[in-house]
Amino acid sequence: MPPKFGNFKIYFPNIVFKIIPDPRLTKHQAAFRIPLNLNKLDVRDYLTHIYNVTVTDVRTAVLPGKITTNRFTGQKERTSRTKKAIVTMKETFQYPEAPDLDGDFGGKQKKFEMLRTANRMKGWNYRPSPEAKQLRKEIAEAQAKKDK
């Protein structure tokens, strides 16, 4: 008889932790923006079980929303509150590298399309600007490198 698979239920959290770079923190600390409903124990458990990090201390603070003026009604409004967690770890924390927005997410292609739609006029033929020509050339070169 073959073994049964799938006896254990695995729950993946749908919690988003956003890293906040803060130069005032030590090399063993990191700041995160977390959902309002999480507490310190949840933050510690999440980082320990998902990322295998030894957490020594967690400090949280609920930050008030900013006051803005509604430009249509002129009334004062407050943006939603946020929660910030400063986590102290046993290991040194390394910030991840910033992604290459042009290469990883098609930024040049998006920029070219924005230029193209901005310069398009109804009933007129589109003549690309020198900047759009340069972008088109870079996109073609990137595609050629990717195809090799």
Side-chain angles (χ1 to χ4, degrees), residues 63-126:
L63 306 174
K66 297 189 183 334
I67 297 176
T68 59
T69 304
N70 187 330
R71 58 185 196 158
F72 299 112
T73 63
Q75 294 179 340
K76 302 282 185 186
E77 296 176 343
R78 187 178 291 272
T79 59
S80 59
R81 301 179 302 164
T82 58
K83 193 170 200 177
K84 180 179 179 180
I86 298 176
V87 179
T88 307
M89 296 166 268
K90 207 171 196 178
E91 304 88 11
T92 58
F93 179 74
Q94 293 286 334
Y95 284 100
E97 292 183 20
D100 179 22
L101 296 178
D102 286 341
D104 294 342
F105 301 108
K108 289 183 183 174
Q109 185 73 26
K110 288 179 188 173
K111 194 183 294 184
F112 174 73
E113 290 297 325
M114 284 175 45
L115 275 173
R116 187 170 168 222
T117 56
N119 292 337
R120 186 182 306 156
M121 296 174 67
K122 189 173 185 177
W124 289 74
N125 289 335
Y126 169 68

Side-chain angles (χ1 to χ4, degrees), residues 40-53:
K40 295 178 183 185
L41 299 174
D42 293 336
V43 172
R44 178 177 293 176
D45 287 344
Y46 180 83
L47 293 174
T48 302
H49 290 100
I50 301 293
Y51 296 106
N52 296 326
V53 177

Side-chain angles (χ1 to χ4, degrees), residues 20-31 59 63 84 86 95:
I20 306 169
D22 194 349
R24 298 172 292 179
L25 299 176
T26 65
K27 62 182 178 179
H28 293 284
Q29 290 180 329
R59 291 180 285 154
L63 306 174
K84 180 179 179 180
I86 298 176
Y95 284 100

Side-chain angles (χ1 to χ4, degrees), residues 108-109 111-113 115-116 119 126-142:
K108 289 183 183 174
Q109 185 73 26
K111 194 183 294 184
F112 174 73
E113 290 297 325
L115 275 173
R116 187 170 168 222
N119 292 337
Y126 169 68
R127 288 189 185 151
S129 64
E131 183 182 358
K133 287 180 183 178
Q134 180 65 27
L135 276 173
R136 184 185 290 170
K137 187 177 178 182
E138 290 175 8
I139 291 168
E141 290 172 359

